[in-house]
Amino acid sequence: MPEAQTEHTAYIALGSNLGDKRANLEKAIELLGSIPGVQLKRVASYYRTAPLGGPVQDWYLNTVAEVSTVLEPHRLLAALLKIEEKLGRVRTVRWGPRTIDLDLLLYGRREICDAALTLPHPRMTGRAFVMAPLAELAPGLILQGKTASELAGELARSQSIEKLDPTYY
């Protein structure tokens, strides 16, 4: 009898600021749900956000997806990178504009720090565009001694972020 694979909850940030941003997010979400070993559970609202760092560029459309997966973290990351490639992501300028960006934020309670992957994502708690949609999905999640909701509220006071009306998407 085959051994049952353990399912893990993971959170993935999605962002786009080139081309049809909404279509880019929708296609990435569709592809995310089609990865073998990954089940798409929920997707937060879309947020319009100002870019942080990098060159002058257009605003972003961001969200966070919750998935259940039997894939190990590095295999899940590899699948996310394939989605980026399929949707035309070209990495030229750090923090530059992109058709799609998929970041693995959390994978259960797993902590990893190697050349390919750091979990939890090292910069997520300082980014409103990550914390606001994450707080929708997991408001009581504790990160750095605060809830996701508390962090989202604090960041929203200092970073430009706007929750979009559901009729937008």
Side-chain angles (χ1 to χ4, degrees):
M1 190 162 156
E3 189 175 315
Q5 293 180 304
T6 304
E7 288 196 1
H8 299 273
T9 298
Y11 293 94
I12 298 159
L14 299 93
S16 175
N17 79 334
L18 285 177
D20 186 336
K21 300 167 201 167
R22 183 176 70 182
N24 293 341
L25 289 184
E26 289 170 355
K27 186 63 178 174
I29 290 164
E30 176 188 323
L31 292 170
L32 184 59
S34 72
I35 300 169
V38 174
Q39 182 181 6
L40 184 63
K41 293 291 194 180
R42 301 182 293 161
V43 178
S45 300
Y46 289 3
Y47 289 79
R48 183 180 186 271
T49 62
L52 286 180
V56 174
Q57 56 189 301
D58 199 6
W59 56 272
Y60 279 82
L61 198 58
N62 295 95
T63 191
V64 168
E66 177 185 324
V67 301
S68 178
T69 185
V70 295
L71 299 181
E72 285 301 309
H74 288 88
R75 288 196 56 214
L76 179 57
L77 177 63
L80 299 180
L81 294 173
K82 283 184 182 176
I83 291 172
E84 287 184 347
E85 183 180 326
K86 184 172 188 164
L87 295 180
R89 169 87 188 258
V90 178
R91 295 176 188 272
T92 53
V93 178
R94 182 175 170 100
W95 295 321
R98 71 255 353 229
T99 54
I100 195 69
D101 184 32
L102 300 173
D103 286 329
L104 181 54
L105 302 174
L106 297 162
Y107 183 97
R109 296 185 179 276
R110 186 87 56 100
E111 292 183 14
I112 297 173
C113 186
D114 63 32
L117 179 61
T118 301
L119 289 174
H121 190 287
R123 292 174 299 282
M124 72 177 181
T125 57
R127 295 173 168 176
F129 64 85
V130 171
M131 293 311 303
L134 180 61
E136 274 189 45
L137 301 177
L141 181 69
I142 303 294
L143 300 164
Q144 298 180 343
K146 296 181 181 180
T147 66
S149 289
E150 290 170 329
L151 287 166
E154 290 173 6
L155 292 167
R157 289 190 284 278
S158 62
Q159 296 176 22
S160 295
I161 184 165
E162 173 190 2
K163 183 178 180 178
L164 297 177
D165 184 294
T167 59
Y168 176 80
Y169 48 92

